Amino acid sequence: MSADTHSSQTTPRIAVFGGRVSSDQLLDEAFEVGRLIAGRGGLLYCGGMGGVMEAASKGARESGGDVVGILPTGDTDHANPYISIPVVTGIGTARNSIIARSVHGGIAIDGRYGTLSEIAYGIDFNKPIIGINTWDIEGVIPAKDAAEAIEKLWEVCTWQ
């Protein structure tokens, strides 16, 4: 297959944004989001570290999917154990822009200011952002759980 016709043009690329620390309930939601993304043939992107990122990565990998981790550090050893494609940047939270730019849309789960910056970049880049118990700001489409978040994202994203 040539680079021009590679299937990545139609593969849903979905970011999961969220913090390094979260409640068990929201980590379970993140796991389910990752599982559902992989189940629909999507490629999960995240910051590659722990917490929500690791839970979503684990869900995707255990369901046969791949996960791109855009790491803030310059060392692949810092990636969570479920990252299949680590991308080292060495640029700290500036990597949030790269994640948001690389995907069709995102799901934000919980999170603090790093998650807020990822949401802001996504909205600024005209990417749909679904939120589960996250920042209540204009442009974030709320969802009560993983299943609803995936349904809403698949309704508003275009990758075909």
Side-chain angles (χ1 to χ4, degrees):
M1 187 180 306
S2 74
D4 300 332
T5 60
H6 191 272
S7 64
S8 69
Q9 294 302 316
T10 57
T11 298
R13 295 183 314 274
I14 308 301
V16 174
F17 306 135
R20 293 181 302 266
V21 177
S22 191
S23 71
D24 288 344
Q25 177 188 359
L26 290 172
L27 293 175
D28 289 346
E29 290 294 338
F31 177 89
E32 184 66 6
V33 163
R35 189 185 74 73
L36 291 170
I37 289 169
R40 290 195 179 208
L43 179 60
L44 191 152
Y45 280 67
C46 70
M49 305 296 274
V52 166
M53 298 168 279
E54 184 170 351
S57 299
K58 183 178 181 182
R61 294 289 288 173
E62 288 185 1
S63 297
D66 283 315
V67 182
V68 178
I70 310 294
L71 301 165
T73 67
D75 188 343
T76 58
D77 289 342
H78 295 153
N80 76 59
Y82 306 102
I83 297 298
S84 46
I85 305 167
V87 178
V88 297
T89 67
I91 60 173
T93 58
R95 62 84 151 83
N96 294 350
S97 174
I98 295 169
I99 299 167
R101 178 79 70 186
S102 298
V103 298
H104 293 105
I107 297 175
I109 303 168
D110 200 16
R112 298 197 59 200
Y113 299 116
T115 303
L116 178 60
S117 75
E118 290 169 313
I119 291 169
Y121 281 124
I123 292 169
D124 191 45
F125 300 148
N126 295 312
K127 309 293 175 92
I129 306 297
I130 312 299
I132 301 172
N133 197 47
T134 194
W135 294 87
D136 182 17
I137 59 173
E138 184 179 345
V140 174
I141 303 165
K144 69 180 182 297
D145 59 23
E148 184 177 58
I150 293 295
E151 287 303 319
K152 286 184 174 189
L153 191 61
W154 254 252
E155 286 174 11
V156 298
C157 269
T158 57
W159 42 70
Q160 289 83 3

